Amino acid sequence: EAVMRTRLLVVAAAGLFCGSTVTPAYERQASPIALATQECWGQLKGKAQVEWYGHLRKIDEPARADSVMASTARSVAQCVATATGSQEADIQRIVDAFVKHRFAQPRSG
């Protein structure tokens, strides 16, 4: 847990030096939930899940693709709850917005 808190502080510090215009409003918050969401996304290989989702969509498997997105959102929310030691209602709202934004990103290539 100490490692997670240290990483959150590093992410928060880095965020102060980055332009806030490139991130959606819900990610610009320096709240522990928003920071933990970003950290958990990386830990749970969110980018790979987005790629798998895109592949399933491409081969016309929308139900399986939606299942991947829902499962990823649940996993990230559980990770955030554990990392922050909280069960706040904001966790689900922030995680849902974050995950939906990531899965909606246009795929290159």
Side-chain angles (χ1 to χ4, degrees):
E1 189 172 316
V3 172
M4 173 65 111
R5 290 187 194 281
T6 301
R7 287 182 182 169
L8 292 178
L9 291 174
V10 170
V11 169
L16 294 175
F17 295 105
C18 296
S20 61
T21 57
V22 297
T23 54
Y26 60 84
E27 288 183 51
R28 282 186 241 143
Q29 305 171 27
S31 75
I33 294 171
L35 295 173
T37 299
Q38 293 178 50
E39 178 70 19
C40 287
W41 176 259
Q43 285 179 6
L44 296 169
K45 299 178 175 43
K47 186 176 178 183
Q49 296 303 312
V50 170
E51 290 172 0
W52 180 234
Y53 170 88
H55 171 73
L56 291 171
R57 284 291 209 198
K58 189 174 183 178
I59 64 169
D60 198 23
E61 293 279 353
R64 287 179 62 201
D66 290 344
S67 177
V68 167
M69 183 168 60
S71 174
T72 302
R74 276 193 308 273
S75 295
V76 172
Q78 289 169 352
C79 175
V80 171
T82 300
T84 60
S86 172
Q87 295 294 331
E88 292 180 41
D90 278 351
I91 289 175
Q92 199 61 51
R93 182 181 57 80
I94 290 171
V95 168
D96 279 349
F98 182 96
V99 169
K100 285 177 182 171
H101 179 72
R102 289 301 186 274
F103 276 89
Q105 290 297 310
R107 290 175 296 280
S108 60

